[in-house]
Structure formats: structure tokens, C-alpha cells
Amino acid sequence: MMNGRVRDRILTTAAEIFHCPEQAVAQASALEDLPGWESIAHLNFILALEQEFGCTFTDLEVERLTSVPAIIDVIDGKQRG
Amino acid sequence: METDLKRMLEIAVAAGDKAAGVAALRRVFGDRPSLANAQLVLKHAKQLGGENAREEFKVAVLRAYTVEPMLPLLEAYAALAGLDLRVQVGEFNTYMQDILNPDSWLYSFLPRMIILAVQTRDLLPALCDRAAELTPADSNKLVDDALRQLRHLLDIVSSRCKASVIVPTLDIPPYPSAGILDAQAPWGQRAAIDAFNHGLREIAASATGVYVVDMEALAGRFGRSRWYDEQKWNMARLPFAADALPEIAREYFKYVHVLSGKLCKVVAVDLDNTIWGGIVGEDGMDGIQVGLDHRGAAYLQLQRVLLDIYHRGILLAICSKNNREEAMAVLEKHPRMLLRPSHFAAMRINWEDKARNLREIAAELNLGLDAIAFVDDNPAERDRVRQELPEVQVIELPDDPALYASTVAQCPYCERLSVSDEDRDRSRYYAQERQRRVAQLATNSLEDFYRSLKMDVEIGEATPESIPRIAQLTQKTNQFNVTTRRYSEQEITAMAQQTASRVYWLRSRDRFGDNGIVGVGIARLEGDTCTIDTLLLSCRVIGRTIETALLAEIATQARADGARYLEGRFVPTAKNAPAKDFYARHGFTRAEKDGNGASRWRLDLAQSVLNWPEWIDRAGVLQRS
């Protein structure tokens, strides 16, 4: 349940930042594969996630933010603290 | 809440309801100005603003750090204010080359505003890297050199383009090199940065078109420990934390807003539960809350902010549903009130519809509806005004009265980048104007009325002291303005220096007081024709033949300069109908009319005389500066 909400928020955020439908984000195995992906957009996406979830990622966490399941994992880990 | 608003937005977009769509976007982004919501705004802004083309505003960013994540936020703020922001960003750390190279992209881009995105580590690197090794003399020299170089760069920018430059104050490191000793050390990082920021304010005060953005204060307001993010700096050369970005964008947007000329000229306020707590009609004067006690303090604080706005030269008005006598009793007699009847240029205290009252206030003050900001605690009234009068800027107050004051204080619409003596005295002028209207009723003929005013007018050519006011009048005057050309201080300065053109200011006085500089004329001589580029009069003094005096003076000078013909153009706008017949009334003949309704008018100076109105005395003799 909690995972589902986190997932939805990630999909909405990614869809806005990469200018694509949420479905496309859900289906992409890696964010890099999205047509709207480039390095500045990825930076914007990391910042948008921090704004959405009210957190700051460490270097190690940032490196893992490459796909939706991995992001859920990182955010879950942070929220469990 | 946010999902509800987004659903409202989708419904509005699907139905093609632009007003509802923009309102929903404004709420979504206003509640949470995040990067994702900025993209949402930008995605919809084009469709929703489609009918009236948005005004373009070009911003160049010269930078030493990553600014890209701030740009969608800045663009979203601008889009919601009806501006189409075009941003061009320089390469990393090439801001000096960008400025020094005359062929740089910076100058061909023709920006209205330049953001210099630099920090302490860029302008005072040694102070960051090896502060502990510096002697007091070293640190003084560092600061002096940095200021000298900055002044040089800014001089070059202003000699090559007309953009306004926004320069940041430098911030102290969160943890200074000398630790707690830095606080008292006359040679510490804090002292050096204070000295730099002081010098920067001096530069801005003496240069035209250079403005300071107080990044140090912004960091302090937000909380310095949350402001920076070392991880982002190391990873992407972005110094700021994700949550700091909206704050920075909002601060820069205030400069965009003022420079774009979208200025509020009157703030219309509600009374009950807005500038005092409670309802005077029910609670009585003794029962309302305003003052130092904990519930009344919030309302007093809002009054303080409104008073600050009043002293910037923005008028205050009342638009409130009350019994007039009860409300006036509070305004006149309540011991804790800061705002008194004399602070208000217009009052509508009645039970009529507020949209109608705002229309009347605009008419009474000779202002457009788009010059009004509306402050009301009641969301239903705000909605009503927003729907009925979309031009009015409705300030969205939060539910908690403790936040009213800071909400109004942050409103970009009420910002100014300069405050002239005329601004400070404006409300007094309006009070005098009410007396003048009474005088007009008491006299019979119009000429008797003109005589009874005992006017005198002084006309001179632009001087460094008058140029800010001249530029301000070209930017703000909408009604009596034949061409409505907007000029910056730098542009006015340039025209005043050309031998072929003359820039005139007009000052008027009458028996009710000194109106200050209220008129501008710009004329250019080419061959045997003197062309009037600009002729405008503040709406305070319309309808008293002062425009005739200005035209007569321009004609006299044109003749002395050897001109045979005096030419003028009238370019119609939504607001300048009062100036429509200006040239025809003064004997000009229409030379041609172009497709946009603009017309060209011509007067043969050899065959006609333009007389100075006999009821206006002349003060001062025109001298070429």
C-alpha cells in the first residue's frame, strides 16, 4: 500500500520532468531510456524527488536512482531511516 | 489537496476554460512551487495563455555555477504573470569573457535583465580557500580588488547594452575559517564579506541599471544550514539544496516583475478580519482585535506592511462591506490602528458588490484595473473579483492571519526598484486632487477654473537627477501618452546626450501644492523637421492645459533649432484615449494613417503659433544642459 503511493508519486514526478506519460515511465526499465532523458533533466529529477519526499540524497543513493524500482528502494530505506 | 487542484486543472483544460485553468495552476504552483509543478505550469501555460500573446522578456545568466534547475521555476513564475521568459545561459566561469568580448552572445541576445550568478568562492576565492593565512591588509586588498573589477565589468556592460544587471550580495561560509572568533575579528571572513557587500551597495547606488539581490539575507531567511547542499555541489556544481531553489527563483522573479513594468499602483483592502480581527458591526469597536495582544498582533503587522507599501508610493484604498460610520469610527478613533483615513486615496465602504466597487475605485483614481491589487480574507470575495475582473491582481491570503503580513510583503506586484520623492508624496497629491475637484465644482467657466488653480509650470532638459523620474514616467504613464514608448534610464541618458535630440521634463505647481515632475517630452531634429518621439503627462494633471504648455515649449525650441515642421505620432493603445485628439486640438494636420490605427501629424511652424496658456505662469527659464 505504502509502496504503491510512493510509486505513484515517483511516476508523476518523472512524467513532469521528462515530459512523457506516466505509463512510459512505468514501462521503462531504466530512466535513461526515456526520450526526454538528458543529464540536466536527470539532475532536475533528483531535485524534484528531494522536493517531493522532503529528503536529501547522499552520493551513494544518487548513484542508485536509475530506475523506478531502485528509487522506491532508496526512498523506502530513507523513510524507514 | 494538490490532487484535487490537479483534477480541477484537467477539467478546466478539457473544457477549454482558460480562467479556471490558470487559477488552478496558480494555486498548485503557489501552494508548492516544486520543479515538477513548474513543469506542469509550463506545459499548460501556452494553451491557457493562448489568446493574448504573452509578453517576451529576455534574461541572460552569466554564471559560475549550475543554474539550470532554477530556470523552470523562474519561467513558471513568469508564465503565471503573463510573461514569456526567454533565458540564455553562459558557459561555466566565462562571465568575464562574456562581458569583455564585444562580439559576445550577451550583446547580440539583447537581454532586458542580466543575472550575475556568482558566489563568494568566485569573487573572493582566497577568502574561501586560505582565510587563515590572510593578514588584515591582504583581506582589505582582496575586497578592494574584487570591487574594482566588478565595477569595471558593470561599466562595460552598461556601455554596451541596456539591460539591468542583478548582482548578488556575497554570503558568509556556514562555518567560518576562524570558528566563533570570526564573529568579532576585524579581519575575519564576516568582516571582509560585509565590506564587500557594503561596496556593492555603493556601486548599485551610483550606477544606473545595477541592482543588488540580497542572497546573503535570503540564505539567512531560509536557514543557511539547509540552504546549501554539498552533495549537489560536488556532483553537479549546484551549490543550493532542492528546497532553496524555489526561494531563489521567486526572489529573481521580483526583479523580472518590476523591470517588465507590471506594477501595482493601488492596493485595495478589506477591513473586517483583514486589517483588524473580528467584525466591527457585531463585535463593536472595543471587541475587534488589533494591537499588541497575541490575536491582534497579526493584523497590526499587516497594517505595518501596508504602510511600508504606502511609503513606496503605492496608493491604498478600502473596498469593504461594512456600515460606513462604524468602519470610519475605527479608522479615526481606535487607539491601536496604524492606518488612518488619511492613508487611503479612495474608499468604498458599503454593501455593494466588490467587483463594482473596485471598478469605481479605478475610475476615481484614474487608473486601470490592472493597477489594482486586492487583499481580502474571504475566499469567496477573492473568487468573485477574480472571475469578474481578471485584470485585478488578487493576493491569495493563507488561512492563518499570522501569515497575512508576510504574504503581502512577498507580493512581487508591490515591489519597486526605486522610490522617488514624487512616489513618497503621491498620496498627499491625491488628497489635494480631491480638494481640486471640489474647487472645480465651485467655479463657472473652465477658464475661470484654470485661473483659480494658479498654476505654474517649469520645463527643463534632462539632468542626471531628473533622469530616473523621466524614465519612470515613460514606463508607467498609460493614459495621456501619445506613443507609449517605454524607456530605461540608460536609454533616456543616451537620448539626452545626443545633440539631435532633446529630452524635456515638466514640473507643475498650483495653489494646492507642488506636483513634482509630471510630464516628459522627447523631440528629435532631422533636417527641417522636429519629430516628437514622446509626449506624456501624469494622470494627476490631465485636463488643465498643461500639455499645451509642454507642446508650446517644444515648438519654440524646435523653431530656435531651425526646424520648419513639427511632427508627432499618435499610437492608440487600450488606455490612451485621453491623448487621442491632442494633435488635432493644437492645429496639426493629419499626414497619414497606418494600418494599426497609428497616425502621423504635422504642423508648419512658419504658419502657425502655439501659444503658452495665459493662465499658466512660467517658472524657470529653459536652458540647454
Side-chain angles (χ1 to χ4, degrees):
Chain A
M1 180 60 200
M2 195 53 211
N3 260 354
R5 266 209 39 76
V6 169
R7 185 167 184 274
D8 285 348
R9 288 160 73 190
I10 294 168
L11 292 184
T12 310
T13 304
E16 293 298 351
I17 300 293
F18 297 115
H19 308 293
C20 63
E22 288 183 23
Q23 223 180 352
V25 183
Q27 286 165 359
S29 53
L31 293 171
E32 272 184 324
D33 300 340
L34 291 168
W37 193 95
E38 35 89 28
S39 60
I40 286 289
H42 189 66
L43 173 61
N44 284 346
F45 177 58
I46 293 168
L47 293 161
L49 285 176
E50 291 184 334
Q51 290 173 341
E52 177 66 33
F53 293 98
C55 62
T56 311
F57 298 117
T58 63
D59 268 338
L60 286 176
E61 287 163 345
V62 164
E63 284 170 21
R64 292 169 55 204
L65 302 175
T66 53
S67 71
V68 175
I71 295 168
I72 294 175
D73 215 40
V74 169
I75 289 173
D76 259 7
K78 278 193 105 66
Q79 291 184 336
R80 233 172 266 132
Chain B
M1 186 64 189
E2 189 168 309
T3 41
D4 290 347
L5 284 170
K6 284 185 179 167
R7 197 158 302 130
M8 275 170 51
L9 173 67
E10 280 166 25
I11 294 168
V13 169
D17 184 345
K18 289 183 178 172
V22 171
L25 273 183
R26 200 164 273 150
R27 295 269 308 274
V28 171
F29 192 66
D31 287 352
R32 217 161 61 94
S34 65
L35 271 162
N37 285 341
Q39 296 295 352
L40 185 75
V41 169
L42 295 173
K43 184 166 74 185
H44 292 295
K46 272 188 207 107
Q47 300 155 260
L48 292 168
E51 263 167 25
N52 18 359
R54 289 184 296 151
E55 185 189 332
E56 187 183 82
F57 189 97
K58 290 203 269 190
V59 178
V61 185
L62 306 180
R63 49 83 172 266
Y65 57 80
T66 300
V67 296
E68 282 78 354
M70 274 170 259
L71 302 179
L73 295 160
L74 185 59
E75 286 162 6
Y77 276 117
L80 290 172
L83 288 168
D84 184 9
L85 212 63
R86 296 287 158 87
V87 185
Q88 199 154 324
V89 180
E91 297 296 322
F92 276 91
N93 281 320
T94 62
Y95 60 92
M96 279 196 235
Q97 297 91 309
D98 292 341
I99 290 172
L100 294 171
N101 178 3
D103 301 321
S104 133
W105 64 274
L106 176 64
Y107 303 116
S108 50
F109 179 54
L110 296 174
R112 290 267 290 279
M113 174 170 140
I114 298 172
I115 292 175
L116 189 60
V118 293
Q119 295 183 292
T120 311
R121 61 179 133 230
D122 309 305
L123 298 190
L124 298 171
L127 194 73
C128 294
D129 298 340
R130 41 183 197 88
E133 301 165 22
L134 299 175
T135 66
D138 290 342
S139 98
N140 283 341
K141 185 169 183 316
L142 274 179
V143 169
D144 287 348
D145 289 349
L147 284 169
R148 194 172 311 115
Q149 185 179 47
L150 182 64
R151 191 188 291 267
H152 176 62
L153 290 173
L154 292 169
D155 283 346
I156 290 177
V157 171
S158 74
S159 71
R160 291 186 184 158
C161 78
K162 286 163 183 157
S164 298
V165 189
I166 315 298
V167 188
T169 55
L170 298 186
D171 194 17
I172 51 165
Y175 301 100
S177 157
I180 55 174
L181 180 58
D182 191 72
Q184 57 197 307
W187 40 262
Q189 286 173 310
R190 171 93 232 178
I193 285 165
D194 282 350
F196 179 91
N197 288 341
H198 179 74
L200 177 60
R201 278 187 284 275
E202 285 181 340
I203 292 176
S206 64
T208 37
V210 174
Y211 302 104
V212 177
V213 58
D214 201 346
M215 290 294 268
E216 191 211 0
L218 210 56
R221 192 159 80 206
F222 186 83
R224 195 163 277 105
S225 60
R226 295 187 298 131
W227 185 249
Y228 297 109
D229 180 345
E230 282 299 315
Q231 193 275 331
K232 297 294 174 307
W233 174 253
N234 298 335
M235 176 180 85
R237 287 291 173 257
L238 173 69
F240 305 111
D243 285 338
L245 302 176
E247 297 293 321
I248 298 169
R250 191 195 343 230
E251 198 71 5
Y252 277 113
F253 171 64
K254 292 175 183 171
Y255 294 78
V256 172
H257 207 283
V258 179
L259 292 170
S260 76
K262 291 182 180 298
L263 300 178
C264 154
K265 295 178 186 171
V266 51
V267 177
V269 297
D270 172 52
L271 298 176
D272 287 337
N273 283 321
T274 300
I275 70 166
W276 60 67
I279 296 169
V280 65
E282 291 172 12
D283 306 330
M285 196 189 318
D286 301 332
I288 62 168
Q289 295 132 24
V290 58
L292 304 172
D293 58 288
H294 96 272
R295 299 214 34 218
Y299 301 99
L300 196 68
Q301 192 57 30
L302 176 62
Q303 292 196 25
R304 244 178 233 128
V305 168
L306 290 168
L307 213 48
D308 287 341
I309 287 173
Y310 165 91
H311 286 295
R312 280 175 214 164
I314 298 170
L315 303 174
L316 300 181
I318 297 175
C319 180
S320 176
K321 290 180 178 170
N322 287 88
N323 291 326
R324 192 181 158 90
E325 299 71 38
E326 287 168 345
M328 289 306 288
V330 175
L331 289 165
E332 280 162 8
K333 301 196 188 99
H334 194 291
R336 292 292 180 199
M337 290 284 291
L338 289 175
L339 294 172
R340 296 295 182 190
S342 62
H343 292 116
F344 295 98
M347 294 183 188
R348 288 296 179 278
I349 306 173
N350 54 40
W351 298 95
E352 301 286 338
D353 174 42
K354 292 207 175 182
R356 178 189 159 158
N357 278 331
L358 288 173
R359 257 194 221 106
E360 285 187 15
I361 288 171
E364 177 178 337
L365 299 176
N366 264 332
L367 295 168
L369 283 165
D370 57 357
I372 298 184
F374 178 57
V375 180
D376 195 316
D377 68 295
N378 183 338
E381 296 287 7
R382 295 199 299 262
D383 263 3
R384 162 90 189 129
V385 168
R386 223 181 257 121
Q387 276 172 22
E388 196 66 20
L389 308 172
E391 310 93 318
V392 170
Q393 183 76 23
V394 178
I395 298 180
E396 195 59 35
L397 289 185
D399 294 332
D400 182 0
L403 302 174
Y404 286 0
S406 58
T407 303
V408 174
Q410 283 178 59
C411 173
Y413 212 53
C414 301
E415 295 285 358
R416 292 290 188 270
L417 281 171
S418 69
V419 177
S420 64
D421 292 343
E422 282 83 2
D423 290 330
R424 289 198 185 89
D425 291 341
R426 179 161 302 118
S427 292
R428 198 164 47 77
Y429 296 137
Y430 274 85
Q432 291 163 357
E433 185 59 32
R434 277 199 296 273
Q435 291 174 289
R436 281 185 201 102
R437 255 181 257 136
V438 173
Q440 184 166 12
L441 291 175
T443 53
N444 293 323
S445 83
L446 209 48
E447 291 190 6
D448 286 344
F449 167 65
Y450 296 147
R451 282 195 188 89
S452 75
L453 287 175
K454 302 204 186 321
M455 294 181 273
D456 74 60
V457 159
E458 183 184 357
I459 295 171
E461 287 198 48
T463 55
E465 299 75 46
S466 60
I467 282 173
R469 174 64 179 161
I470 293 172
Q472 188 191 39
L473 278 169
T474 69
Q475 287 155 22
K476 296 203 323 194
T477 308
N478 294 319
Q479 296 189 89
F480 200 95
N481 194 338
V482 290
T483 49
T484 320
R485 292 192 179 132
R486 312 296 193 195
Y487 290 118
S488 66
E489 290 179 24
Q490 296 95 302
E491 289 168 309
I492 295 290
T493 307
M495 283 188 284
Q497 283 165 353
Q498 287 160 12
T499 42
S501 56
R502 291 181 185 273
V503 178
Y504 302 95
W505 51 262
L506 178 150
R507 178 188 184 102
S508 88
R509 277 180 287 259
D510 58 40
R511 74 178 159 105
F512 299 102
D514 188 341
N515 295 306
I517 294 181
V518 287
V520 172
I522 301 174
R524 195 172 289 125
L525 186 68
E526 275 171 76
D528 64 350
T529 303
C530 176
T531 304
I532 297 171
D533 171 279
T534 292
L535 192 145
L536 64 84
L537 219 51
S538 159
C539 55
R540 287 207 294 271
V541 295
I542 295 180
R544 301 196 217 158
T545 73
I546 288 177
E547 64 276 20
T548 305
L550 180 53
L551 186 64
E553 188 59 47
I554 292 173
T556 305
Q557 192 62 50
R559 204 178 276 121
D561 289 340
R564 165 83 196 264
Y565 299 102
L566 189 57
E567 269 196 13
R569 270 168 70 77
F570 176 74
V571 182
T573 67
K575 293 181 181 166
N576 71 351
K580 189 176 60 167
D581 302 326
F582 174 68
Y583 287 117
R585 272 198 289 127
H586 291 95
F588 284 62
T589 48
R590 181 147 74 195
E592 65 189 46
K593 189 167 184 170
D594 67 30
N596 304 327
S599 47
R600 198 157 61 83
W601 298 79
R602 174 179 263 245
L603 185 76
D604 186 343
L605 290 169
Q607 291 181 6
S608 34
V609 188
L610 278 168
N611 286 322
W612 183 278
E614 51 165 303
W615 38 80
I616 299 180
D617 282 340
R618 323 175 56 120
V621 179
L622 179 61
Q623 279 174 349
R624 181 81 165 145
S625 57

